[in-house]
Coordinates of all heavy atoms in Angstrom, one line a residue:
N29 N -144.8 -47.0 54.7 CA -143.4 -46.9 54.9 C -143.0 -45.5 54.5 O -142.9 -45.2 53.3 CB -142.7 -48.0 54.0 CG -141.2 -48.0 54.2 OD1 -140.7 -47.2 55.1 ND2 -140.5 -48.7 53.5
N30 N -142.7 -44.7 55.4 CA -142.3 -43.3 55.2 C -141.0 -43.0 55.8 O -140.8 -42.2 56.7 CB -143.4 -42.3 55.8 CG -143.2 -41.0 55.2 OD1 -142.6 -40.8 54.2 ND2 -143.8 -40.0 55.9
K31 N -140.0 -43.8 55.4 CA -138.6 -43.8 55.9 C -138.0 -42.4 55.7 O -138.3 -41.7 54.6 CB -137.8 -44.8 55.2 CG -136.4 -44.9 55.7 CD -135.6 -46.0 55.1 CE -134.2 -46.0 55.6 NZ -133.4 -47.0 54.9
Q32 N -137.3 -41.9 56.6 CA -136.6 -40.6 56.5 C -135.2 -40.8 56.1 O -134.5 -41.7 56.6 CB -136.7 -39.8 57.8 CG -138.1 -39.4 58.2 CD -138.2 -38.6 59.4 OE1 -137.3 -38.6 60.2 NE2 -139.3 -37.8 59.5
V33 N -134.7 -40.0 55.2 CA -133.3 -40.0 54.8 C -132.7 -38.7 55.0 O -133.3 -37.7 54.9 CB -133.2 -40.5 53.4 CG1 -133.6 -41.9 53.2 CG2 -133.9 -39.6 52.4
G34 N -131.4 -38.7 55.4 CA -130.7 -37.4 55.5 C -130.0 -37.0 54.2 O -129.6 -37.8 53.5
R35 N -130.1 -35.7 54.0 CA -129.4 -35.2 52.8 C -128.9 -33.8 53.2 O -129.8 -32.9 53.4 CB -130.3 -35.2 51.6 CG -129.6 -34.7 50.4 CD -130.5 -34.8 49.1 NE -129.7 -34.5 48.0 CZ -130.1 -34.5 46.8 NH1 -131.4 -34.7 46.6 NH2 -129.4 -34.2 45.8
G36 N -127.7 -33.5 53.2 CA -127.2 -32.2 53.7 C -127.5 -32.0 55.1 O -127.3 -32.8 56.0
N37 N -128.1 -30.9 55.4 CA -128.5 -30.5 56.8 C -130.0 -30.8 57.1 O -130.5 -30.3 58.0 CB -128.2 -29.1 57.0 CG -126.8 -28.8 57.0 OD1 -126.0 -29.6 57.4 ND2 -126.4 -27.6 56.6
S38 N -130.7 -31.5 56.2 CA -132.1 -31.8 56.4 C -132.4 -33.3 56.3 O -131.6 -34.1 55.9 CB -132.9 -31.0 55.3 OG -132.6 -31.5 54.0
I39 N -133.6 -33.6 56.8 CA -134.1 -34.9 56.7 C -135.4 -34.9 55.8 O -136.2 -34.0 56.0 CB -134.5 -35.5 58.1 CG1 -133.2 -35.6 58.9 CG2 -135.2 -36.8 58.0 CD1 -133.3 -36.3 60.2
L40 N -135.5 -35.8 54.9 CA -136.6 -35.9 53.9 C -137.4 -37.2 54.1 O -136.8 -38.2 54.3 CB -136.1 -35.8 52.5 CG -135.2 -34.5 52.2 CD1 -134.6 -34.7 50.8 CD2 -136.1 -33.3 52.2
N41 N -138.7 -37.1 53.9 CA -139.5 -38.4 53.9 C -139.5 -38.9 52.4 O -139.8 -38.1 51.5 CB -140.9 -38.1 54.3 CG -141.0 -37.8 55.8 OD1 -140.2 -38.4 56.6 ND2 -141.8 -36.9 56.2
I42 N -139.1 -40.1 52.2 CA -138.9 -40.6 50.9 C -140.2 -40.7 50.1 O -140.2 -40.9 48.9 CB -138.1 -42.0 50.8 CG1 -138.9 -43.1 51.6 CG2 -136.7 -41.8 51.3 CD1 -138.3 -44.4 51.4
T43 N -141.4 -40.7 50.8 CA -142.7 -40.8 50.1 C -143.2 -39.4 49.7 O -144.2 -39.3 49.1 CB -143.7 -41.5 51.0 OG1 -143.8 -40.9 52.2 CG2 -143.3 -43.0 51.1
N44 N -142.5 -38.3 50.1 CA -143.0 -37.0 49.8 C -142.9 -36.7 48.3 O -142.0 -37.3 47.6 CB -142.2 -35.9 50.6 CG -142.7 -35.8 52.0 OD1 -143.6 -36.5 52.5 ND2 -142.0 -34.9 52.8
L45 N -143.7 -35.8 47.8 CA -143.7 -35.4 46.4 C -142.4 -34.7 46.0 O -141.8 -34.0 46.8 CB -144.9 -34.5 46.2 CG -145.2 -34.1 44.8 CD1 -145.6 -35.4 44.0 CD2 -146.3 -33.1 44.7
S46 N -141.9 -35.1 44.8 CA -140.7 -34.5 44.3 C -140.8 -34.3 42.8 O -141.5 -35.1 42.1 CB -139.5 -35.5 44.6 OG -138.3 -35.0 44.0
K47 N -140.2 -33.3 42.3 CA -140.2 -33.1 40.8 C -139.0 -33.8 40.3 O -137.9 -33.8 40.9 CB -140.3 -31.6 40.4 CG -139.1 -30.8 40.9 CD -139.2 -29.4 40.5 CE -137.9 -28.6 41.0 NZ -138.0 -27.2 40.7
D48 N -139.1 -34.3 39.1 CA -138.0 -35.0 38.4 C -138.0 -34.7 36.9 O -139.1 -34.5 36.4 CB -138.1 -36.5 38.7 CG -136.8 -37.3 38.3 OD1 -135.8 -36.6 38.1 OD2 -136.9 -38.5 38.2
R49 N -136.9 -34.7 36.3 CA -136.8 -34.6 34.9 C -136.8 -36.0 34.3 O -136.2 -36.9 34.7 CB -135.5 -33.9 34.4 CG -135.5 -32.4 34.8 CD -134.2 -31.8 34.5 NE -133.1 -32.4 35.4 CZ -131.9 -32.2 35.3 NH1 -131.4 -31.4 34.4 NH2 -131.0 -32.8 36.1
M50 N -137.6 -36.1 33.2 CA -137.7 -37.4 32.5 C -136.4 -37.7 31.8 O -135.8 -38.8 31.8 CB -138.9 -37.5 31.6 CG -140.2 -37.4 32.4 SD -141.6 -37.9 31.4 CE -141.4 -39.6 31.3
L51 N -135.9 -36.6 31.1 CA -134.6 -36.7 30.4 C -133.6 -35.7 31.1 O -133.8 -34.5 31.1 CB -134.8 -36.3 28.9 CG -135.7 -37.2 28.1 CD1 -135.9 -36.6 26.7 CD2 -135.1 -38.6 28.0
N52 N -132.6 -36.3 31.7 CA -131.7 -35.5 32.5 C -131.0 -34.4 31.7 O -130.6 -33.4 32.3 CB -130.7 -36.4 33.2 CG -131.2 -37.2 34.3 OD1 -132.2 -36.8 34.9 ND2 -130.6 -38.3 34.6
E53 N -130.8 -34.7 30.4 CA -130.0 -33.7 29.6 C -130.8 -32.5 29.2 O -130.3 -31.5 28.7 CB -129.5 -34.4 28.4 CG -130.5 -34.9 27.4 CD -130.9 -36.3 27.6 OE1 -130.6 -36.9 28.7 OE2 -131.6 -36.9 26.8
H54 N -132.2 -32.5 29.5 CA -133.0 -31.3 29.3 C -133.4 -30.6 30.6 O -133.4 -31.3 31.6 CB -134.3 -31.8 28.6 CG -134.1 -32.4 27.2 ND1 -133.8 -31.6 26.1 CD2 -134.2 -33.7 26.8 CE1 -133.6 -32.4 25.1 NE2 -133.9 -33.7 25.5
H55 N -133.7 -29.3 30.5 CA -134.0 -28.6 31.7 C -135.4 -28.9 32.1 O -136.2 -29.6 31.4 CB -134.0 -27.1 31.3 CG -132.6 -26.6 31.0 ND1 -131.6 -26.5 32.0 CD2 -132.0 -26.2 29.9 CE1 -130.5 -26.0 31.5 NE2 -130.7 -25.9 30.2
Y56 N -135.8 -28.4 33.3 CA -137.2 -28.6 33.8 C -138.1 -27.8 32.9 O -138.0 -26.6 32.9 CB -137.3 -28.1 35.3 CG -136.6 -29.0 36.3 CD1 -135.3 -28.8 36.7 CD2 -137.3 -30.1 36.7 CE1 -134.8 -29.6 37.7 CE2 -136.7 -31.0 37.7 CZ -135.4 -30.7 38.1 OH -134.9 -31.5 39.0
T57 N -139.0 -28.5 32.2 CA -140.0 -27.8 31.4 C -141.3 -28.6 31.7 O -141.3 -29.7 32.2 CB -139.7 -27.9 29.9 OG1 -139.6 -29.2 29.5 CG2 -138.4 -27.2 29.6
K58 N -142.4 -28.1 31.2 CA -143.7 -28.8 31.4 C -143.6 -30.1 30.7 O -144.1 -31.1 31.2 CB -144.8 -27.9 30.8 CG -146.2 -28.5 31.0 CD -147.3 -27.5 30.5 CE -148.6 -28.1 30.7 NZ -149.7 -27.2 30.2
Q59 N -143.0 -30.2 29.5 CA -142.9 -31.4 28.8 C -142.0 -32.4 29.5 O -142.2 -33.6 29.4 CB -142.3 -31.1 27.4 CG -142.2 -32.3 26.5 CD -141.5 -31.9 25.1 OE1 -140.8 -30.9 25.1 NE2 -141.7 -32.7 24.1
N60 N -140.9 -32.0 30.1 CA -139.9 -32.9 30.7 C -140.1 -33.1 32.2 O -139.3 -33.7 32.8 CB -138.5 -32.3 30.5 CG -137.4 -33.2 30.7 OD1 -137.5 -34.4 30.4 ND2 -136.3 -32.8 31.2
L61 N -141.2 -32.6 32.8 CA -141.4 -32.7 34.2 C -142.3 -33.9 34.6 O -143.3 -34.2 33.9 CB -142.0 -31.4 34.7 CG -142.2 -31.2 36.2 CD1 -140.8 -31.2 36.9 CD2 -143.0 -30.0 36.5
L62 N -141.9 -34.6 35.7 CA -142.6 -35.7 36.2 C -142.7 -35.5 37.7 O -141.7 -35.2 38.3 CB -141.9 -37.0 35.9 CG -142.4 -38.3 36.4 CD1 -143.7 -38.6 35.6 CD2 -141.5 -39.4 36.2
F63 N -143.9 -35.6 38.3 CA -144.0 -35.6 39.7 C -144.0 -37.0 40.3 O -144.7 -37.8 39.8 CB -145.3 -34.8 40.1 CG -145.1 -33.3 39.9 CD1 -145.7 -32.8 38.8 CD2 -144.5 -32.5 40.8 CE1 -145.5 -31.4 38.6 CE2 -144.4 -31.2 40.6 CZ -144.9 -30.6 39.5
T64 N -143.1 -37.2 41.2 CA -142.9 -38.5 41.7 C -142.5 -38.4 43.2 O -142.7 -37.4 43.8 CB -141.7 -39.2 40.9 OG1 -141.6 -40.5 41.3 CG2 -140.4 -38.5 41.0
S65 N -142.0 -39.5 43.8 CA -141.6 -39.4 45.2 C -140.1 -39.1 45.3 O -139.3 -39.3 44.4 CB -141.9 -40.8 45.9 OG -141.0 -41.8 45.4
I66 N -139.7 -38.6 46.5 CA -138.3 -38.3 46.7 C -137.5 -39.6 46.6 O -136.4 -39.6 46.1 CB -138.2 -37.6 48.1 CG1 -138.7 -36.2 48.1 CG2 -136.7 -37.6 48.6 CD1 -138.7 -35.5 49.4
G67 N -138.1 -40.7 47.1 CA -137.4 -42.0 47.0 C -137.0 -42.4 45.6 O -135.9 -42.8 45.3
W68 N -138.0 -42.2 44.7 CA -137.7 -42.5 43.2 C -136.7 -41.6 42.7 O -135.7 -42.0 42.0 CB -139.0 -42.3 42.4 CG -138.8 -42.1 41.0 CD1 -138.7 -40.9 40.3 CD2 -138.5 -43.1 40.0 NE1 -138.5 -41.1 39.0 CE2 -138.3 -42.4 38.8 CE3 -138.4 -44.5 40.0 CZ2 -138.0 -43.1 37.6 CZ3 -138.1 -45.1 38.8 CH2 -137.9 -44.4 37.6
N69 N -136.8 -40.3 43.0 CA -135.8 -39.3 42.5 C -134.4 -39.7 43.0 O -133.4 -39.6 42.2 CB -136.2 -37.9 43.0 CG -135.8 -36.8 42.1 OD1 -134.9 -37.0 41.3 ND2 -136.4 -35.7 42.2
F70 N -134.2 -40.0 44.3 CA -132.9 -40.4 44.8 C -132.4 -41.7 44.1 O -131.2 -41.8 43.7 CB -132.9 -40.7 46.3 CG -132.9 -39.4 47.1 CD1 -133.4 -39.5 48.4 CD2 -132.5 -38.2 46.6 CE1 -133.4 -38.3 49.2 CE2 -132.5 -37.1 47.4 CZ -132.9 -37.1 48.7
C71 N -133.3 -42.7 44.0 CA -132.9 -44.0 43.4 C -132.5 -43.8 41.9 O -131.5 -44.4 41.5 CB -134.0 -45.0 43.5 SG -134.2 -45.6 45.2
R72 N -133.3 -43.0 41.2 CA -133.0 -42.9 39.8 C -131.7 -42.1 39.5 O -130.9 -42.4 38.6 CB -134.2 -42.2 39.1 CG -134.0 -42.2 37.6 CD -135.3 -41.7 36.9 NE -135.2 -40.3 36.7 CZ -134.5 -39.7 35.7 NH1 -133.8 -40.4 34.9 NH2 -134.5 -38.4 35.5
G73 N -131.5 -41.1 40.3 CA -130.3 -40.3 40.2 C -130.0 -39.8 38.8 O -130.9 -39.2 38.2
T74 N -128.9 -40.1 38.3 CA -128.5 -39.7 36.9 C -128.5 -40.8 35.9 O -127.8 -40.8 34.9 CB -127.1 -39.0 36.9 OG1 -126.2 -40.0 37.5 CG2 -127.1 -37.8 37.8
F75 N -129.3 -41.9 36.2 CA -129.3 -43.0 35.3 C -129.8 -42.6 33.9 O -130.7 -41.8 33.8 CB -130.3 -44.1 35.8 CG -129.8 -44.9 36.9 CD1 -130.7 -45.5 37.8 CD2 -128.4 -45.2 37.1 CE1 -130.2 -46.2 38.9 CE2 -128.0 -45.9 38.2 CZ -128.9 -46.4 39.1
S76 N -129.2 -43.2 32.9 CA -129.6 -42.9 31.5 C -130.9 -43.8 31.3 O -131.1 -44.8 32.1 CB -128.5 -43.3 30.5 OG -128.3 -44.7 30.5
I77 N -131.5 -43.6 30.2 CA -132.7 -44.5 29.8 C -132.2 -45.9 29.6 O -132.9 -46.9 30.0 CB -133.4 -43.9 28.5 CG1 -133.9 -42.5 28.7 CG2 -134.5 -44.9 28.1 CD1 -135.0 -42.4 29.8
K78 N -131.0 -46.1 29.0 CA -130.5 -47.4 28.8 C -130.2 -48.1 30.2 O -130.5 -49.3 30.3 CB -129.2 -47.3 28.0 CG -128.7 -48.7 27.5 CD -127.6 -48.5 26.5 CE -127.2 -49.8 25.9 NZ -126.2 -49.7 24.9
D79 N -129.6 -47.4 31.1 CA -129.4 -47.9 32.5 C -130.8 -48.3 33.1 O -130.9 -49.4 33.7 CB -128.8 -46.9 33.4 CG -127.4 -46.5 33.0 OD1 -126.7 -47.3 32.4 OD2 -126.9 -45.4 33.4
M80 N -131.8 -47.5 33.0 CA -133.1 -47.8 33.5 C -133.7 -49.0 32.9 O -134.4 -49.8 33.6 CB -134.0 -46.5 33.4 CG -133.6 -45.4 34.2 SD -134.5 -43.9 33.9 CE -136.2 -44.3 34.2
S81 N -133.5 -49.2 31.6 CA -134.0 -50.4 30.9 C -133.5 -51.7 31.5 O -134.1 -52.7 31.5 CB -133.8 -50.3 29.4 OG -132.4 -50.6 29.1
R82 N -132.3 -51.6 32.0 CA -131.6 -52.8 32.6 C -132.0 -53.0 34.1 O -131.9 -54.1 34.6 CB -130.1 -52.7 32.5 CG -129.7 -52.7 31.0 CD -128.2 -52.5 30.9 NE -127.7 -52.5 29.5 CZ -126.7 -51.8 29.1 NH1 -126.0 -51.1 29.9 NH2 -126.4 -51.9 27.8
L83 N -132.2 -51.9 34.8 CA -132.3 -51.9 36.3 C -133.8 -52.0 36.8 O -134.0 -52.5 37.9 CB -131.6 -50.7 36.9 CG -130.1 -50.7 36.6 CD1 -129.5 -49.4 37.1 CD2 -129.4 -51.8 37.3
M84 N -134.7 -51.4 36.0 CA -136.1 -51.4 36.5 C -136.9 -52.6 36.1 O -136.5 -53.3 35.1 CB -136.8 -50.2 35.8 CG -136.4 -48.8 36.3 SD -137.1 -47.5 35.4 CE -138.8 -47.5 36.0
R85 N -137.9 -52.9 36.9 CA -138.8 -53.9 36.5 C -139.4 -53.6 35.1 O -139.7 -52.4 34.8 CB -140.0 -54.0 37.5 CG -139.9 -55.1 38.4 CD -141.1 -55.1 39.4 NE -142.4 -55.0 38.8 CZ -143.5 -54.9 39.5 NH1 -143.4 -55.0 40.9 NH2 -144.7 -54.8 39.0
K86 N -139.6 -54.6 34.3 CA -139.9 -54.4 32.9 C -141.3 -53.6 32.8 O -141.4 -52.7 32.0 CB -140.0 -55.7 32.1 CG -140.3 -55.5 30.7 CD -140.3 -56.9 29.9 CE -140.5 -56.6 28.5 NZ -140.4 -57.8 27.7
D87 N -142.3 -54.0 33.6 CA -143.6 -53.3 33.5 C -143.5 -51.8 33.9 O -144.1 -51.0 33.3 CB -144.7 -54.0 34.2 CG -144.3 -54.2 35.7 OD1 -143.2 -54.4 36.0 OD2 -145.3 -54.3 36.5
F88 N -142.6 -51.5 34.9 CA -142.4 -50.1 35.3 C -141.7 -49.3 34.2 O -142.1 -48.2 33.9 CB -141.6 -50.0 36.6 CG -142.3 -50.5 37.8 CD1 -141.6 -50.7 39.0 CD2 -143.7 -50.7 37.8 CE1 -142.3 -51.1 40.2 CE2 -144.3 -51.1 39.0 CZ -143.6 -51.3 40.1
F89 N -140.7 -50.0 33.6 CA -139.9 -49.3 32.6 C -140.8 -49.0 31.4 O -140.8 -48.0 30.8 CB -138.7 -50.1 32.2 CG -137.9 -49.5 31.1 CD1 -137.1 -48.3 31.4 CD2 -138.0 -49.9 29.8 CE1 -136.4 -47.7 30.4 CE2 -137.3 -49.3 28.8 CZ -136.5 -48.2 29.1
N90 N -141.6 -50.0 31.0 CA -142.5 -49.9 29.8 C -143.5 -48.7 30.0 O -143.7 -48.0 29.1 CB -143.2 -51.2 29.5 CG -142.2 -52.2 28.9 OD1 -141.2 -51.8 28.4 ND2 -142.6 -53.4 28.9
R91 N -144.0 -48.6 31.2 CA -144.9 -47.5 31.5 C -144.2 -46.2 31.5 O -144.7 -45.2 30.9 CB -145.6 -47.7 32.9 CG -146.5 -46.6 33.3 CD -147.7 -46.6 32.3 NE -148.5 -45.4 32.6 CZ -148.9 -44.5 31.7 NH1 -148.7 -44.7 30.5 NH2 -149.6 -43.5 32.1
Y92 N -143.0 -46.1 32.0 CA -142.2 -44.9 31.9 C -141.9 -44.5 30.5 O -142.1 -43.3 30.1 CB -140.8 -45.2 32.7 CG -140.0 -43.9 32.8 CD1 -140.2 -43.0 33.8 CD2 -138.9 -43.7 31.9 CE1 -139.3 -41.9 33.9 CE2 -138.1 -42.6 32.0 CZ -138.3 -41.7 33.0 OH -137.5 -40.6 33.1
M93 N -141.6 -45.5 29.6 CA -141.4 -45.2 28.2 C -142.6 -44.7 27.5 O -142.6 -43.9 26.6 CB -140.8 -46.5 27.5 CG -139.4 -46.8 27.9 SD -138.2 -45.5 27.6 CE -138.3 -45.3 25.9
E94 N -143.8 -45.3 27.9 CA -145.1 -44.8 27.3 C -145.2 -43.3 27.6 O -145.6 -42.5 26.6 CB -146.3 -45.5 27.9 CG -146.5 -46.9 27.4 CD -147.6 -47.6 28.1 OE1 -148.6 -46.9 28.4 OE2 -147.6 -48.8 28.2
I95 N -145.0 -42.9 28.8 CA -145.1 -41.5 29.2 C -144.1 -40.7 28.4 O -144.4 -39.6 27.9 CB -145.0 -41.3 30.7 CG1 -146.1 -42.0 31.4 CG2 -144.9 -39.8 31.1 CD1 -145.9 -42.1 32.9
L96 N -142.8 -41.1 28.4 CA -141.7 -40.4 27.8 C -142.0 -40.2 26.3 O -141.9 -39.1 25.8 CB -140.4 -41.2 28.0 CG -139.2 -40.6 27.4 CD1 -138.8 -39.3 28.2 CD2 -138.0 -41.6 27.5
L97 N -142.4 -41.3 25.6 CA -142.7 -41.2 24.1 C -143.9 -40.4 23.8 O -144.0 -39.8 22.7 CB -142.7 -42.5 23.5 CG -141.4 -43.3 23.5 CD1 -141.5 -44.7 23.0 CD2 -140.3 -42.5 22.7
E98 N -144.9 -40.3 24.7 CA -146.0 -39.4 24.5 C -145.6 -38.0 24.6 O -146.1 -37.2 23.8 CB -147.0 -39.7 25.7 CG -148.3 -38.9 25.6 CD -149.2 -39.2 26.7 OE1 -149.6 -40.4 26.9 OE2 -149.6 -38.3 27.5
R99 N -144.6 -37.7 25.4 CA -144.2 -36.3 25.6 C -143.0 -35.9 24.6 O -142.9 -34.8 24.2 CB -143.7 -36.0 27.0 CG -144.8 -36.1 28.0 CD -144.3 -35.8 29.3 NE -145.3 -36.0 30.3 CZ -145.2 -35.7 31.6 NH1 -144.1 -35.1 32.0 NH2 -146.2 -36.0 32.4
F100 N -142.3 -36.9 24.2 CA -141.2 -36.7 23.2 C -141.3 -37.7 22.1 O -140.4 -38.6 21.9 CB -139.8 -36.9 24.0 CG -139.5 -35.9 25.0 CD1 -139.9 -36.2 26.3 CD2 -138.9 -34.7 24.7 CE1 -139.6 -35.3 27.3 CE2 -138.6 -33.8 25.7 CZ -139.0 -34.1 27.0
P101 N -142.3 -37.6 21.2 CA -142.4 -38.5 20.1 C -141.2 -38.5 19.1 O -140.9 -39.5 18.5 CB -143.7 -38.1 19.4 CG -144.0 -36.7 19.9 CD -143.3 -36.6 21.2
D102 N -140.5 -37.4 19.1 CA -139.3 -37.3 18.2 C -138.2 -38.2 18.7 O -137.2 -38.4 17.9 CB -138.9 -35.8 18.1 CG -138.6 -35.2 19.4 OD1 -139.3 -35.4 20.4 OD2 -137.6 -34.5 19.5
K103 N -138.2 -38.7 19.9 CA -137.2 -39.5 20.4 C -137.4 -41.0 20.2 O -136.6 -41.9 20.6 CB -137.0 -39.3 21.9 CG -136.7 -37.9 22.4 CD -135.3 -37.7 22.2 CE -134.9 -36.3 22.8 NZ -133.5 -36.0 22.6
K104 N -138.5 -41.4 19.5 CA -138.9 -42.8 19.3 C -137.7 -43.6 18.8 O -137.5 -44.7 19.3 CB -140.1 -42.9 18.4 CG -140.6 -44.3 18.2 CD -141.8 -44.3 17.3 CE -142.3 -45.7 17.2 NZ -143.5 -45.8 16.4
Y105 N -137.0 -43.2 17.8 CA -136.0 -44.0 17.1 C -134.7 -44.0 18.0 O -134.0 -45.0 18.0 CB -135.7 -43.4 15.8 CG -136.8 -43.6 14.8 CD1 -137.6 -42.5 14.5 CD2 -137.2 -44.9 14.4 CE1 -138.7 -42.7 13.7 CE2 -138.3 -45.0 13.5 CZ -139.1 -43.9 13.2 OH -140.1 -44.1 12.4
E106 N -134.5 -43.0 18.9 CA -133.4 -43.1 19.8 C -133.6 -44.1 20.8 O -132.6 -44.7 21.3 CB -133.3 -41.7 20.4 CG -132.1 -41.5 21.3 CD -132.0 -40.0 21.8 OE1 -132.5 -39.1 21.1 OE2 -131.5 -39.9 22.9
F107 N -134.8 -44.4 21.3 CA -135.1 -45.4 22.3 C -135.7 -46.7 21.8 O -136.0 -47.6 22.5 CB -136.1 -44.8 23.3 CG -135.7 -43.5 23.9 CD1 -136.5 -42.4 24.0 CD2 -134.4 -43.3 24.4 CE1 -136.1 -41.2 24.5 CE2 -134.0 -42.2 25.0 CZ -134.9 -41.1 25.1
N108 N -135.7 -46.9 20.5 CA -136.3 -48.0 19.9 C -135.7 -49.3 20.4 O -134.5 -49.5 20.4 CB -136.1 -48.0 18.3 CG -137.0 -48.9 17.6 OD1 -138.0 -49.4 18.2 ND2 -136.6 -49.2 16.4
G109 N -136.5 -50.2 20.9 CA -136.1 -51.5 21.3 C -135.6 -51.6 22.8 O -135.3 -52.7 23.2
L110 N -135.6 -50.5 23.5 CA -135.1 -50.6 24.9 C -136.0 -51.4 25.8 O -135.6 -52.0 26.8 CB -134.9 -49.2 25.4 CG -133.6 -48.5 25.0 CD1 -133.5 -47.1 25.5 CD2 -132.4 -49.3 25.4
G111 N -137.3 -51.3 25.6 CA -138.2 -52.0 26.6 C -138.6 -53.4 26.2 O -139.4 -54.0 26.8
E112 N -138.1 -53.9 25.1 CA -138.5 -55.2 24.6 C -137.7 -56.3 25.1 O -136.7 -56.2 25.6 CB -138.4 -55.1 23.0 CG -139.3 -54.1 22.5 CD -139.0 -53.8 21.0 OE1 -138.1 -54.4 20.4 OE2 -139.7 -53.0 20.4

């Protein structure tokens, strides 16, 4: 399924590679960068971690949190209990 979506003056394939920030409030850095699909990037938009905990499948969200806490261990207490 390689659906095309329009954005501005171009058409994008939602399965193409896209860079995304794990934490929207931080800039693009090696620590905060995640390579994903354009579809994921569009769907996630500006959702907060709390929003994502409510909207994503639990196993997907828990995996996302594993990656996030591996890269940002200092945020553990800020996100405590969100995936449970």
Side-chain angles (χ1 to χ4, degrees):
N29 184 7
N30 197 17
K31 185 177 179 184
Q32 293 185 336
V33 293
R35 184 174 188 185
N37 293 328
S38 63
I39 293 186
L40 303 169
N41 290 323
I42 62 172
T43 56
N44 283 0
L45 190 63
S46 176
K47 65 182 181 181
D48 191 18
R49 291 175 293 174
M50 295 192 76
L51 297 173
N52 289 333
E53 64 271 13
H54 296 288
H55 294 289
Y56 286 98
T57 63
K58 186 176 179 179
Q59 181 184 22
N60 195 36
L61 187 65
L62 177 70
F63 287 97
T64 186
S65 70
I66 289 174
W68 158 263
N69 210 340
F70 283 159
C71 289
R72 190 174 91 75
T74 58
F75 287 150
S76 68
I77 299 297
K78 191 171 187 175
D79 293 335
M80 290 172 59
S81 74
R82 294 177 181 148
L83 298 171
M84 288 175 74
R85 256 180 46 184
K86 186 175 181 175
D87 57 328
F88 290 168
F89 179 74
N90 288 341
R91 179 65 186 128
Y92 185 83
M93 289 303 296
E94 284 178 32
I95 296 167
L96 183 66
L97 291 174
E98 180 180 303
R99 295 184 186 185
F100 294 93
D102 57 318
K103 300 278 187 184
K104 182 177 181 177
Y105 295 104
E106 189 175 329
F107 304 132
N108 194 20
L110 283 178
E112 300 168 357

